[in-house]
Amino acid sequence: MPVFYGTDIASSLMLGTAQYPSPKVLADAFRRSGAGVATVSLRRESAAGGAGRAFGDLIRGLGVPVLPNTAGCHSVRDAVTTAHMAREVFGTDWIKLEVIGHPDTLQPDPFGLVEAARILAADGFKVFPYTTEDGVLAGRLLDAGCRVLMPWGAPIGTGRGLANPYALRTLRAQFPDVPMVIDAGLGLPSHAAQAMELGFDAVLLNTAVAKAGDPAAMAEAFALAVRAGRLAHGADPMEPRDMAAPSTPVLGLAVLE
Amino acid sequence: MNIIVNGEPRQVTAPDLAGALAELGYGGARVATAVNGAFVPAGARAGQALAEGDRVEVLAPRQGG
């Protein structure tokens, strides 16, 4: 199972907490899947409020480590300030660092990401950067103090699966000892299985479960796929080949003509 | 004094952030605060003077992906 910054995680499935039809469905999805980490955010609280307290109680009840994000931040300053606010409210130095570079693609801003990661790591944060499959960028993030990387599968909310499996395979091979999570873009359990088969340590998804007709069932399906993919990677898969090769022995074949 | 709280214009009499939060009804809430884009830890709110036009953000836990 994955180890992030010295913490053992109970499952390779990490789930977001947004977009569920109700708090009960959210809790059911976590229970049924055994997800190992819950991602959360910070948003404006009204004075009449109480929404933050109710949600905080719900999340604590899940009994899994919480990973706050800086979702929606488009600048280094916003992301760093949000990280500090999250650390105080959630009582954790883990931060899923998002510095978004474009509103339509929600692609990470690689330059801002490295700068924010350096500032936060120096300030004691354990940074989980939402990044691309770019290997040079990955190296810069490690230099900045990140000890976990979270390359995207595809842009957030698209559900397209691994858009660039070749580059992800290369990234995995380039940094074999760095815990890596495929974050975003997964739509189906088969996408999660593929990520795990490639040797990634975990997957993080939200929309694919929360927007399914039966979120708890889909969460369990992802948990099974993650387990299958992880087992398959450890079992050393065969190499694909171009030409057919008979699986049934040719030796001993009857001669019937 | 007129300040902006979570994007909305508000009037407060307290001269500091801790007093303003209490005045606005946030007493006891589990929130994080920033003034003019800079994080203000809970323990520093009483010492954080507010000025006319300051932008205050008051955030709390929410759903996230």
Side-chain angles (χ1 to χ4, degrees):
Chain A
M1 288 299 150
V3 179
F4 299 141
Y5 291 100
T7 298
D8 290 311
I9 305 300
S11 166
S12 290
L13 177 63
M14 302 162 67
L15 269 186
T17 58
Q19 302 180 297
Y20 293 81
S22 74
K24 182 184 179 306
V25 173
L26 187 167
D28 286 347
F30 271 81
R31 263 192 290 276
R32 195 156 156 191
S33 65
V37 171
T39 55
V40 293
S41 75
L42 282 180
R43 287 295 180 264
R44 285 171 166 174
E45 181 78 320
S46 69
R53 185 182 303 275
F55 180 71
D57 290 346
L58 172 69
I59 292 305
R60 269 188 298 282
L62 299 177
V64 298
V66 168
L67 177 59
N69 68 29
T70 63
C73 291
H74 286 254
S75 72
V76 172
R77 186 170 190 238
D78 279 4
V80 169
T81 299
T82 302
H84 278 97
M85 296 173 88
R87 179 161 69 175
E88 183 176 272
V89 165
F90 291 105
T92 176
D93 48 15
W94 284 16
I95 191 75
K96 173 181 165 178
L97 180 61
E98 293 185 34
V99 181
I100 299 300
H102 193 280
D104 292 334
T105 61
L106 300 181
Q107 179 170 352
D109 167 359
F111 310 100
L113 187 64
V114 171
E115 188 183 342
R118 184 175 294 115
I119 292 167
L120 290 171
D123 208 355
F125 282 88
K126 296 181 169 69
V127 181
F128 294 64
Y130 166 61
T131 183
T132 67
E133 66 274 36
D134 188 302
V136 175
L137 172 55
R140 295 292 166 89
L141 288 167
L142 295 174
D143 291 346
C146 299
R147 294 295 171 263
V148 175
L149 298 174
M150 302 213 297
W152 62 357
I156 295 169
T158 59
R160 302 185 68 85
L162 306 186
N164 194 346
Y166 163 67
L168 289 171
R169 194 193 316 270
T170 305
L171 183 69
R172 178 70 285 183
Q174 198 177 346
F175 303 100
D177 300 323
V178 176
M180 279 199 251
V181 181
I182 295 294
D183 175 15
L186 304 186
L188 289 168
S190 52
H191 302 153
Q194 186 189 9
M196 298 304 293
E197 287 164 4
L198 287 175
F200 287 91
D201 298 274
V203 298
L204 169 50
L205 52 121
N206 191 152
T207 311
V209 164
K211 289 296 192 185
D214 184 343
M218 188 60 84
E220 183 182 353
F222 268 98
L224 293 169
V226 163
R227 190 168 163 227
R230 185 181 181 81
L231 198 59
H233 177 70
D236 189 14
M238 66 170 281
E239 287 298 321
R241 48 180 288 156
D242 289 330
M243 299 307 287
S247 52
T248 302
V250 176
L251 190 67
L253 182 68
V255 179
L256 300 173
E257 289 184 25
Chain B
M1 163 167 55
N2 296 296
I3 59 174
I4 308 292
V5 179
N6 287 347
E8 301 288 333
R10 304 296 296 264
Q11 269 202 328
V12 294
T13 57
D16 60 74
L17 180 59
L21 288 176
E23 202 176 317
L24 291 166
Y26 286 105
R30 193 165 174 226
V31 294
T33 52
V35 174
N36 299 327
F39 172 54
V40 181
R45 288 174 195 158
Q48 175 69 48
L50 291 179
E52 182 79 15
D54 273 352
R55 292 177 297 107
V56 177
E57 292 287 332
V58 185
L59 308 187
R62 284 293 188 284
Q63 297 80 356

